[in-house]
Amino acid sequence: MTDKRRRILQAASVTLANKGFHGTTMGEIAQQADMAAGTLYLYFKDKQTLLLETLENNLELIADACFKQHRLGVSLEQQFTQIWQALFQYLIAHPDTLHGWELSRHVTDKSQLAHLIKRRQQLFLPLAAMLEAGLAAQQLKPLPVEVLGAIGIESCAALARRHIEGSFILNDAMIATAANASWQAIANQ
């Protein structure tokens, strides 16, 4: 990816997260990226295309953060906790990626939305494989992998959102306890 394209995607992520899809102009994104508005159109034909690529880029960044230090050879619970805590730390450090994902409702083309969902599944394949292994070993509640992921991991995003908003602030001990509670929610006890 070129430096300009990366700058545009970062600027779009921040601007769209702060102002919303309809409240953001291509000119504002260009200003945030410190370039001329016409330059954006050399890379993206319109705001919808830029939104789609921004969402996909954010998914890639989130997945990279989740699995960068993922260690195999440790217990399923340790792997889950590692991923959960890495996700939480990434989201609070990069709130635009969290808020930006909420903009996926503005992807109006069904095939583009299907593409994003498929891309998310590809990027989070290590998590799905881990959950599948947990199901096979009867360590997890007998639910579909997608449901286990929603219960176990999406709680992390919800807590990160509340932390970012200032509804409450989680310290390290609370983060560890919340990760453990998410694990307990899916573990077959």
Side-chain angles (χ1 to χ4, degrees):
M1 179 183 310
T2 67
D3 183 51
K4 277 190 183 181
R5 187 177 204 85
R6 185 175 287 110
R7 279 187 18 226
I8 293 168
L9 291 172
Q10 289 171 342
S13 184
V14 170
T15 308
L16 289 165
N18 289 331
K19 300 187 97 180
F21 180 75
H22 295 295
T24 299
T25 66
M26 292 292 271
E28 290 168 325
I29 295 169
Q31 184 178 8
Q32 177 75 25
D34 196 28
M35 59 183 63
T39 304
L40 265 64
Y41 291 101
L42 296 173
Y43 293 88
F44 305 96
K45 70 178 185 172
D46 56 28
K47 189 167 65 169
Q48 183 74 32
T49 304
L50 178 54
L51 170 65
L52 186 66
E53 196 161 329
T54 299
L55 291 170
E56 189 169 344
N57 185 63
N58 285 349
L59 278 174
E60 290 169 4
L61 293 170
I62 291 168
D64 285 348
C66 285
F67 304 119
K68 185 187 311 184
Q69 296 178 342
H70 181 227
R71 292 186 335 249
L72 299 173
V74 297
S75 74
L76 189 65
E77 179 178 358
Q78 289 170 316
Q79 289 180 58
F80 176 87
T81 301
Q82 208 174 58
I83 291 168
W84 198 100
Q85 289 181 343
L87 175 61
F88 186 86
Q89 294 302 330
Y90 183 82
L91 292 175
I92 64 170
H94 303 90
D96 52 290
T97 58
L98 176 62
H99 297 309
W101 182 251
E102 295 163 2
L103 294 170
S104 63
R105 70 180 180 276
H106 294 290
V107 176
T108 54
D109 183 293
K110 299 282 187 213
S111 67
Q112 289 177 334
L113 191 56
H115 169 77
L116 272 178
I117 291 168
K118 184 177 181 180
R119 186 70 180 126
R120 182 180 63 202
Q121 290 169 336
Q122 291 169 339
L123 290 167
F124 287 87
L125 203 52
L127 175 64
M130 185 188 79
L131 295 173
E132 288 284 355
L135 282 169
Q138 298 182 342
Q139 292 179 307
L140 300 176
K141 289 181 172 65
L143 294 167
V145 167
E146 296 81 10
V147 175
L148 292 170
I151 293 169
I153 297 296
E154 290 185 25
S155 61
C156 178
L159 288 171
R161 182 179 300 106
R162 300 281 299 276
H163 179 92
I164 292 163
E165 293 168 352
S167 298
F168 49 75
I169 302 299
L170 299 175
N171 61 32
D172 289 343
M174 295 165 77
I175 293 166
T177 301
N180 181 266
S182 293
W183 167 255
Q184 295 301 322
I186 65 170
N188 197 9
Q189 305 291 340

